[in-house]
Amino acid sequence: MEPVPHANTNLRRAPVQQRSAERLARILDACAELLDETGYEQLSTRAVALRAGVPIGSVYRFFSNKRALTDALAQRNLDSYAERITGRLAVIPATDWRSAIDAVLDEYLAMKRSVAGFALVDFGAVAPEEDPANAANQRVAGRLAELLAAHLGGAPDEDLSRTVLVCVEAADALLQLAFRTDPSGDRAIVAETRIMLRAYLERVLE
């Protein structure tokens, strides 16, 4: 069987066959479901193995502990987010930067509302001390800067990278507020976040 490439660098061992890749996907799916049901503190590799229907050794083949497991889930979330944005940008004219920014925000909101485990593990570690929020935000900003620069027909220079990082940090704080008491996100705060992003980016992209 042909090897299956895998970009997730949080793995102890990358899957090389389709069957292994499918087993890894089941393990990450199980981890995400259990995060929603029990939270991070009660999460265990044994529970993940049971939910995924695999031997515990299969989990340890890929992950040394639950921290590594959630790290890999965060990386998968980021890869999925980038893929979703890429699909949206493909049908948006390069001159329409507002729609591009809307796509970036809308896809995050869609994942926040529908993807298992995303409420606790979006793009970073559950425990802030294990992976400071700004480290996750820097990873997200770096990926977004690349996607937006390519869409606009350029390269992610220092100015664009800094601008996108500021947007990510500001939007992260506002969206945490929006979802703090409303599981679907306070619509008024989400609307204000969109206004803020557009106003800030207008001076760079207009």
Side-chain angles (χ1 to χ4, degrees):
M1 187 174 290
E2 291 295 321
V4 178
H6 201 283
N8 201 316
T9 58
N10 297 290
L11 302 176
R12 174 180 274 181
R13 179 184 300 177
V16 295
Q17 294 183 329
Q18 184 66 34
R19 184 172 61 181
S20 292
E22 291 171 352
R23 179 170 291 187
L24 172 60
R26 290 206 310 275
I27 291 170
L28 291 175
D29 288 345
C31 174
E33 292 169 4
L34 288 169
L35 281 170
D36 279 345
E37 294 172 17
T38 68
Y40 181 72
E41 292 304 320
Q42 299 302 315
L43 183 72
S44 71
T45 52
R46 185 169 299 278
V48 169
L50 184 63
R51 174 64 63 90
V54 302
I56 186 66
S58 293
V59 176
Y60 285 122
R61 179 187 178 195
F62 296 117
F63 307 106
S64 56
N65 51 42
K66 70 177 185 179
R67 160 70 195 281
L69 186 55
T70 54
D71 281 351
L73 182 61
Q75 181 62 53
R76 187 176 74 165
N77 286 341
L78 181 55
D79 291 341
S80 176
Y81 183 48
E83 289 173 8
R84 293 168 70 135
I85 291 171
T86 298
R88 290 283 300 276
L89 294 181
V91 296
I92 296 175
T95 54
D96 188 3
W97 65 265
R98 290 177 179 81
S99 292
I101 298 307
D102 284 345
V104 169
L105 179 58
D106 290 342
E107 289 305 322
Y108 177 83
L109 293 170
M111 292 184 72
K112 186 80 169 177
R113 292 164 177 158
S114 65
V115 174
F118 199 82
L120 283 179
V121 178
D122 49 11
F123 308 123
V126 176
E129 66 274 9
E130 294 181 354
D131 183 12
N134 64 340
N137 285 344
Q138 287 174 356
R139 289 192 294 272
V140 175
R143 186 74 72 90
L144 290 179
E146 291 175 359
L147 292 173
L148 289 173
H151 180 67
L152 297 171
D157 59 23
E158 184 177 346
D159 287 343
L160 179 62
S161 296
R162 182 176 57 253
T163 298
V164 172
L165 178 59
V166 169
C167 287
V168 168
E169 291 283 359
D172 180 46
L174 287 171
L175 293 176
Q176 284 187 45
L177 176 63
F179 282 88
R180 188 171 298 159
T181 57
D182 186 341
S184 63
D186 183 291
R187 294 187 180 279
I189 295 176
V190 169
E192 293 294 328
T193 302
R194 195 181 305 274
I195 292 169
M196 181 274 295
L197 290 174
R198 286 184 169 192
Y200 178 67
L201 286 168
E202 185 173 13
R203 66 183 183 85
V204 177
L205 301 179
E206 189 62 42

